[in-house]
Amino acid sequence: AGFTTTFATVAIADLGDKSLLTTLVLAARHKAEWIFIGSESAIGSVNRSRTLDHRLFADAIDRIIDTIRINSGVAFLLFGANALD
């Protein structure tokens, strides 16, 4: 069910964009089965690369947030020590 839902969602979301127009033009000149396999493979590889990019981006954001938390904690302690003087 997950595969079918995901496939249908991506297929519907991609309707009307440049990929669809390119696929239609190519299908008019070449065998439709090969065009379908090629276009679906391309969409799949693009989505996999997006997923990898998002994972890397999320890891970088987590490291930045950890750095901000440490720096803000140190700054809080320094300002507190400064306020006591």
Side-chain angles (χ1 to χ4, degrees):
F3 173 79
T4 309
T5 304
T6 305
F7 184 85
T9 303
V10 170
I12 290 170
D14 281 341
L15 288 177
D17 67 352
K18 295 177 290 205
S19 301
L20 175 67
L21 296 175
T22 304
T23 303
L24 289 173
V25 170
L26 288 170
R29 294 178 155 220
H30 303 287
K31 196 171 180 181
E33 292 85 11
W34 288 110
I35 301 302
F36 176 76
I37 291 169
S39 65
E40 288 304 312
S41 298
I43 289 172
S45 64
V46 166
N47 286 334
R48 281 189 295 280
S49 68
R50 286 181 190 161
T51 302
L52 180 61
D53 290 345
H54 287 220
R55 285 184 187 165
L56 294 174
F57 185 68
D59 290 342
I61 292 295
D62 287 340
R63 280 184 262 134
I64 291 170
I65 289 173
D66 289 342
T67 303
I68 290 172
R69 285 182 180 154
I70 291 169
N71 288 340
S72 62
V74 170
F76 178 77
L77 292 173
L78 290 173
F79 286 128
N82 191 26
L84 292 175
D85 287 340

